[in-house]
Amino acid sequence: MNYKQLFSTIPEKRPVIIAGPCSAESEEQVLTTAKALAEQGIKIFRAGIWKPRTKPNSFEGVGAKGLAWLSQVKAATGMKVATEAAMPKHVEEALRHSIDLLWIGARTTTNPFAMQEIAEALRGVDIPVLVKNPVIPDLDLWTGGLERLQQAGISRLGVIHRGFSVYGNKLYRNRPHWQLPVELRRRMPDLLFFCDPSHIGGQRNLIAPIAQQAMDMNFDGLMIEAHCCPDKALSDKKQQLTPQELQTVVQQLVIRDTAEINGLSLFRNRIDEIDNRILELLANRMEISKEIGEYKKAHNLSILQSARYKELVERMRTNAQNLGLDADFVQVLAQLIHEQSSREQMKVMNSD
């Protein structure tokens, strides 16, 4: 698929940018943000109307009345407008208000029954649809949802990589697992691929590096959350940029040629992801070390447990050999980890 199949007005170059607030909160907020983005050349405006929230009593969106605000954005700026649909009635109301693009959220993609119902609601409709990856790292769920839409006759299809929910994840809001969209592109090369660095990172300072990683991996576009006043946002305030901050992120992107993208960049991104996971695991380990320090303090135990340290080193050397790693290297690593763990315990035991 080329970009013209998404919208004839979209330039035939990377990256295609879809931007706007996490949620449509008020008519003023929507129009103010949209006009600022339009001035920067953004062609597609996004805003959540219905917000599936993890817990009850959270802001769940303004509902259908917000669709009228998106219609005003079209009239005032000439931008295309996009929103999330999670149920057939969302599809029907969005189409009634001439929404230009729909995306399917991660929670919905995870549910084959919901995907089938949405596919039936879209049968016979010519509208671009972007499908976010499922919440869990299951590639078959992702491709299955896309196939349901294809069987319903939806031809203008793309995907949005927004990361995956993983227990114990600390660095990212949703871990990227870049290998999954890479494999999806191998299986379905005609799709447009967007990355959502807002939901992967979960905080503003991670949006730029994640967006650059996506460009290095030859993604076609980015969906980034932008709000006229992010700190006052009713949902996901930490991961939203001002329109001006978004402009800086986009201007600083380096768009590499295909030869470089298909070379070392893919390997480097995989290594970066593994390194980040190692750091997350080390952070988890040090948190447990602090808890051990509290226990030893409460029970008047010494920090150094020589038998335990000897057991740890021997086990790590054995496991290293079984995994094909250099046992001496792993022993040095184990020593460094143990020393830092002891320091964390010492801090706790010396605290008041």
Side-chain angles (χ1 to χ4, degrees):
M1 180 191 291
N2 61 44
Y3 307 143
K4 296 297 184 183
Q5 289 176 274
L6 188 65
F7 292 119
S8 60
T9 56
I10 299 301
E12 192 88 20
K13 63 178 183 178
R14 296 191 307 131
V16 176
I17 304 294
I18 302 173
C22 171
S23 303
E25 300 166 358
S26 69
E27 180 180 348
E28 179 183 7
Q29 170 247 6
V30 167
L31 289 172
T32 299
T33 305
K35 289 176 181 177
L37 292 171
E39 289 175 358
Q40 297 173 12
I42 302 299
K43 302 297 184 184
I44 308 175
F45 180 79
R46 58 141 289 154
I49 301 299
W50 303 277
K51 299 299 299 179
R53 310 300 292 173
T54 300
K55 295 182 178 180
N57 304 319
S58 301
F59 176 65
E60 295 183 336
V62 297
K65 70 178 183 181
L67 294 170
W69 306 339
L70 296 185
S71 296
Q72 292 181 52
V73 168
K74 291 180 65 173
T77 67
M79 301 170 80
K80 302 293 184 182
V81 293
T83 198
E84 177 179 348
M87 303 169 64
K89 71 175 184 179
H90 295 167
V91 173
E92 295 164 5
E93 292 180 4
L95 294 175
R96 194 176 304 122
H97 284 81
S98 300
I99 299 300
D100 300 294
L101 180 150
L102 295 176
W103 79 82
I104 311 300
R107 291 176 174 85
T108 307
T109 308
T110 306
N111 186 338
F113 293 111
M115 287 302 299
Q116 188 61 48
E117 289 179 355
I118 290 174
E120 293 302 327
L122 285 166
R123 189 177 294 277
V125 178
D126 182 22
I127 186 172
V129 179
L130 303 179
V131 180
K132 287 195 172 185
N133 60 260
V135 174
I136 59 175
D138 188 325
L139 190 56
D140 287 337
L141 271 178
W142 203 357
T143 57
L146 290 160
E147 289 167 0
R148 291 176 190 277
L149 292 169
Q150 288 176 327
Q151 291 177 7
I154 305 302
S155 58
R156 291 196 283 169
L157 270 178
V159 297
I160 303 171
H161 174 45
R162 49 80 77 193
F164 302 89
S165 178
V166 179
Y167 178 75
N169 186 39
K170 287 181 177 284
L171 177 59
Y172 300 108
R173 178 178 178 181
N174 294 289
R175 188 172 289 163
H177 284 311
W178 292 105
Q179 68 272 21
L180 270 75
V182 168
E183 173 59 18
L184 180 62
R185 173 158 262 174
R186 186 191 69 79
R187 297 184 188 184
M188 307 179 81
D190 294 332
L191 298 176
L192 278 180
F193 277 70
F194 286 79
C195 178
D196 179 348
S198 303
H199 276 87
I200 291 176
Q203 48 189 318
R204 292 168 200 156
N205 66 327
L206 290 178
I207 291 175
I210 294 170
Q212 184 61 60
Q213 280 184 287
M215 290 300 96
D216 291 348
M217 300 184 76
N218 203 24
F219 276 66
D220 300 290
L222 301 166
M223 177 181 275
I224 300 179
E225 292 185 350
H227 191 293
C228 58
C229 190
D231 290 333
K232 295 183 179 180
L234 298 181
S235 59
D236 290 349
K237 63 177 65 177
K238 293 181 180 180
Q239 67 187 44
Q240 299 193 66
L241 304 175
T242 66
Q244 294 72 30
E245 289 169 335
L246 173 66
Q247 183 180 39
T248 299
V249 169
V250 173
Q251 288 177 341
Q252 292 179 348
L253 289 173
V254 177
I255 310 302
R256 310 183 196 281
D257 61 47
T258 305
E260 182 176 354
I261 290 167
N262 290 334
L264 289 176
S265 294
L266 294 179
F267 296 108
R268 286 170 176 166
N269 277 295
R270 288 166 60 190
I271 285 176
D272 289 345
E273 182 171 349
I274 291 170
D275 287 345
N276 287 333
R277 289 166 63 187
I278 291 171
L279 290 175
E280 289 175 356
L281 290 171
L282 285 172
N284 289 336
R285 194 186 193 286
M286 294 308 158
E287 287 297 321
I288 296 172
S289 294
K290 293 175 185 177
E291 295 175 11
I292 292 172
E294 294 283 1
Y295 184 89
K296 289 179 177 178
K297 182 178 182 180
H299 293 80
N300 197 29
L301 299 174
S302 66
I303 289 178
L304 181 60
Q305 302 284 322
S306 300
R308 165 63 179 166
Y309 176 61
K310 181 179 179 181
E311 175 193 341
L312 181 148
V313 171
E314 290 177 352
R315 186 181 70 251
M316 290 190 71
R317 284 186 63 92
T318 299
N319 289 342
Q321 292 171 339
N322 292 337
L323 292 169
L325 295 171
D326 184 277
D328 292 335
F329 159 71
V330 171
Q331 181 170 338
V332 172
L333 181 61
Q335 181 178 351
L336 291 171
I337 292 172
H338 183 264
E339 289 174 356
Q340 183 61 36
S341 177
S342 297
R343 283 192 285 269
E344 295 295 338
Q345 293 180 41
M346 185 71 75
K347 291 177 187 176
V348 172
M349 296 187 75
N350 289 336
S351 63
D352 294 331

